[in-house]
Amino acid sequence: MRVLGVDPGLTRCGIGVVDGGTGRSVSCVAVDVVRTPVDATLANRLMAVADAVEDWLDRYRPEAVAIERVFSQHNVRTAMGTAQAGGVVALAAARRGLPVAFHTPSEMKAAVTGSGRADKAQVTAMVTRLLKLENAPKPADAADALGLAICHLWREPMRLRLAEAEARAKELATAHKARLAKAAKAAKAAKSADRNTGVRR
Amino acid sequence: MRVLGVDPGLTRCGIGVVDGGTGRSVSCVAVDVVRTPVDATLANRLMAVADAVEDWLDRYRPEAVAIERVFSQHNVRTAMGTAQAGGVVALAAARRGLPVAFHTPSEMKAAVTGSGRADKAQVTAMVTRLLKLENAPKPADAADALGLAICHLWREPMRLRLAEAEARAKELATAHKARLAKAAKAAKAAKSADRNTGVRR
């Protein structure tokens, strides 16, 4: 499976494509950082991010898109710009019918380094090692984008199995409830039949 | 001028078109609320909002788009969804080369009611009166969208005049500095010429 990972942003938007092989093997297809001019309007910056992502979707044809889920940051204005950039990335994927998943920074860090609290240097080091890259991807946004794609490749099968198990459990519970209701109805009918025929139990 | 106002959201997205006439006269062209299913994926909800806005841009051909600027809300998840919805609306406008402006809720309230702290009922009442509507637009998101369009119609000429004045002031300052530099250079050249010819001043 091929996944496009995106660390959304207006000033720097990390973007990376990772192929997942058998087991946990992963390989880097491409990685870059999209920058948009600070003095451009917000709408034009969003368009620049959207255009770059559309271009990558055309060029690398990933089967899924993983985007970093933004939580509150120190700077509200930055957080909003980041969320908006994430929104246009999700839209580009949805328009092509690709599944989109949002992963939190700590989910990504936990998947890649084993700790949800790893710092940027640790994430970059592990991403470099996992993908057997000659040079560490720079800046951190590029490493984060690759980390998100890896996180998605490793978490998604687990998530799907969990969803399947949940659906199966729900099915079983429904069937069980239906059996109970049927039994209760049968018992009631038997009781009423006994009463009619004067049988005492 | 015709403006499309949008109060972005995933559960309810207010959308309204207002025509501005001479002075402060405004009239309502259309208003509605776009709803997206709560159980749909985030990406599909964003696509539903984007599709609706594209449809309105085609149908009503506004000359500008005004979007509510999201600030931090109580619920971070809601705020992020709202920001993402605003992002895809801005993108749709930018793709058509339309100017996009973001106005804060208090800018809108101040423009429409005279007070940046007006409540929802006051905004709805003033929007209904200003647009001479027979019935108050409902829910509040619809009234907010119309309010944003009105806010844009009334604020934009002021903003443009201000920007023009600022540009003119900058131009004058640059010209003044250039004149000063030229004078300093001329004085230096004269001094050096005096020295060469042995004239003392």
Side-chain angles (χ1 to χ4, degrees):
Chain A
M1 173 141 119
R2 175 169 288 190
V3 175
L4 178 82
V6 180
D7 181 17
L10 295 174
T11 307
R12 284 184 312 276
C13 179
I15 186 163
V17 178
V18 176
D19 277 345
T22 53
R24 285 167 80 86
S25 77
V26 282
S27 62
C28 177
V29 177
V31 63
D32 202 2
V33 166
V34 178
R35 294 167 201 272
T36 73
V38 181
D39 55 352
T41 63
L42 175 53
N44 282 332
R45 298 183 79 181
L46 289 170
M47 190 161 63
V49 169
D51 286 347
V53 169
E54 301 265 7
D55 180 41
W56 277 58
L57 292 174
D58 282 342
R59 217 187 304 172
Y60 299 107
R61 310 234 160 240
E63 291 142 77
V65 175
I67 306 173
E68 188 171 293
R69 186 187 293 281
V70 187
F71 278 105
S72 68
Q73 294 178 352
H74 308 294
N75 186 329
V76 176
R77 184 179 284 254
T78 307
M80 292 302 152
T82 307
Q84 288 171 327
V88 304
V89 173
L91 177 67
R95 286 241 189 270
R96 287 158 198 250
L98 294 176
V100 179
F102 288 85
H103 301 286
T104 64
S106 45
E107 282 167 352
M108 183 273 279
K109 289 173 186 176
V112 170
T113 72
S115 159
R117 293 178 175 195
D119 62 20
K120 287 195 178 295
Q122 286 171 299
V123 170
T124 298
M126 278 306 295
V127 164
T128 307
R129 196 196 299 178
L130 289 166
L131 295 169
K132 300 183 184 68
L133 300 174
E134 287 191 17
N135 301 304
K138 275 180 194 169
D141 315 74
D144 284 351
L146 293 172
L148 278 159
I150 297 171
C151 168
H152 186 77
L153 282 164
W154 289 352
R155 280 176 63 98
E156 200 56 11
M158 221 162 32
R159 200 190 60 76
L160 289 178
R161 274 203 299 275
L162 201 69
E164 243 170 53
E166 272 172 7
R168 180 79 188 121
K170 205 173 167 185
E171 216 171 77
L172 289 173
T174 309
H176 182 62
K177 268 188 206 155
R179 264 200 307 277
L180 282 182
K182 202 175 160 190
K185 203 174 162 187
K188 202 176 163 189
K191 212 173 171 183
S192 145
D194 287 353
R195 205 177 291 131
N196 291 344
T197 52
V199 176
R200 279 194 150 183
R201 295 191 184 221
Chain B
M1 173 141 120
R2 174 170 288 191
V3 176
L4 178 81
V6 179
D7 181 17
L10 294 175
T11 307
R12 285 184 311 276
C13 178
I15 187 164
V17 179
V18 175
D19 277 345
T22 53
R24 284 167 78 87
S25 78
V26 282
S27 62
C28 178
V29 178
V31 63
D32 201 3
V33 166
V34 179
R35 293 168 203 271
T36 73
V38 182
D39 55 353
T41 63
L42 175 53
N44 282 331
R45 299 182 80 181
L46 289 170
M47 190 160 65
V49 169
D51 286 347
V53 169
E54 300 267 7
D55 179 42
W56 278 57
L57 292 174
D58 283 341
R59 216 186 306 172
Y60 298 107
R61 311 233 159 240
E63 290 143 77
V65 175
I67 306 174
E68 188 170 293
R69 186 187 293 281
V70 187
F71 279 105
S72 70
Q73 293 178 352
H74 309 295
N75 186 330
V76 176
R77 185 178 282 256
T78 307
M80 291 303 153
T82 308
Q84 289 171 326
V88 303
V89 173
L91 177 67
R95 285 240 188 270
R96 287 159 199 250
L98 295 175
V100 179
F102 288 86
H103 302 287
T104 63
S106 45
E107 282 168 353
M108 183 273 279
K109 289 173 185 177
V112 170
T113 72
S115 159
R117 294 179 175 193
D119 62 20
K120 289 197 176 293
Q122 286 171 300
V123 170
T124 298
M126 277 307 294
V127 164
T128 308
R129 197 196 299 178
L130 289 166
L131 295 170
K132 298 183 186 67
L133 301 174
E134 287 191 17
N135 301 303
K138 274 181 195 169
D141 314 74
D144 284 350
L146 293 172
L148 278 159
I150 297 171
C151 168
H152 186 77
L153 282 164
W154 289 352
R155 280 176 64 98
E156 201 55 12
M158 220 163 30
R159 200 189 60 78
L160 289 178
R161 273 204 300 276
L162 200 69
E164 243 171 54
E166 271 171 7
R168 181 82 187 118
K170 206 173 167 185
E171 215 171 79
L172 289 173
T174 308
H176 181 62
K177 268 187 205 156
R179 264 201 308 277
L180 282 182
K182 202 175 161 188
K185 203 174 164 188
K188 203 176 163 189
K191 213 172 170 184
S192 146
D194 287 353
R195 205 177 293 130
N196 290 344
T197 53
V199 177
R200 279 195 149 183
R201 295 195 184 214

